[in-house]
Amino acid sequence: MRSRDFDLDFRYQAEKTRKWGLALLSLAGLFWIWCAVLLILPYQAESEPDDDTPATCESRLFTDAGTANTRESGETCAEERDWPEALAVLGVSIPVSVVGASIFTIGTVSRRMSAHGQAIRELDKLTEKTRD
């Protein structure tokens, strides 16, 4: 019975590892959504702290001008949402997604290998019974 307990504990640890990988992949997905929001959605920028009418800015990617937000709103929009912020969010998501995918894969493979080992042991028992 000890090997069965060890195998169940191994599968439990593999499932826990898999869940950690899935959590990191979900976190990376949130970073990608945040980056998409920063780049795709239009936004408002205040030129002064007590400004009643903030400037409406076009999205960073979808703009009619040659460069994002250079028409009537000028520097106010460019300072409010700068490219390095979106790229930093995207840059942080890359190692998180790589580590998450690696951990998820390790957990999945460990669990499948344990199930495969169990199936082989059961087949060996059946083979021994038919020989006797």
Side-chain angles (χ1 to χ4, degrees), residues 2-123:
R2 283 188 232 162
S3 64
R4 184 173 189 271
D5 292 338
F6 177 77
D7 192 45
L8 290 176
D9 185 51
F10 183 80
R11 287 185 191 192
Y12 173 75
Q13 292 296 331
E15 188 63 29
K16 206 158 96 170
T17 302
R18 193 169 173 255
K19 286 180 183 178
W20 270 105
L22 192 59
L24 286 174
L25 284 173
S26 299
L27 180 63
L30 289 175
F31 282 135
W32 293 335
I33 290 170
W34 184 14
C35 182
V37 165
L38 289 174
L39 294 176
I40 294 173
L41 295 180
Y43 58 97
Q44 294 183 345
E46 296 180 4
S47 58
E48 296 178 13
D50 57 346
D51 194 6
D52 291 335
T53 57
T56 301
C57 305
E58 296 179 32
S59 70
R60 300 301 277 167
L61 289 181
F62 304 116
T63 180
D64 294 333
T67 308
N69 303 325
T70 56
R71 290 193 327 198
E72 62 265 352
S73 53
E75 289 296 315
T76 305
C77 290
E79 290 174 1
E80 182 70 23
R81 246 185 223 178
D82 204 4
W83 284 103
E85 180 184 0
L87 292 176
V89 171
L90 190 62
V92 167
S93 74
I94 292 171
V96 172
S97 61
V98 167
V99 169
S102 300
I103 290 175
F104 181 80
T105 302
I106 288 168
T108 302
V109 169
S110 297
R111 185 165 172 80
R112 293 199 67 195
M113 290 302 293
S114 175
H116 175 72
Q118 180 65 30
I120 294 295
R121 284 190 296 276
E122 288 178 12
L123 285 173

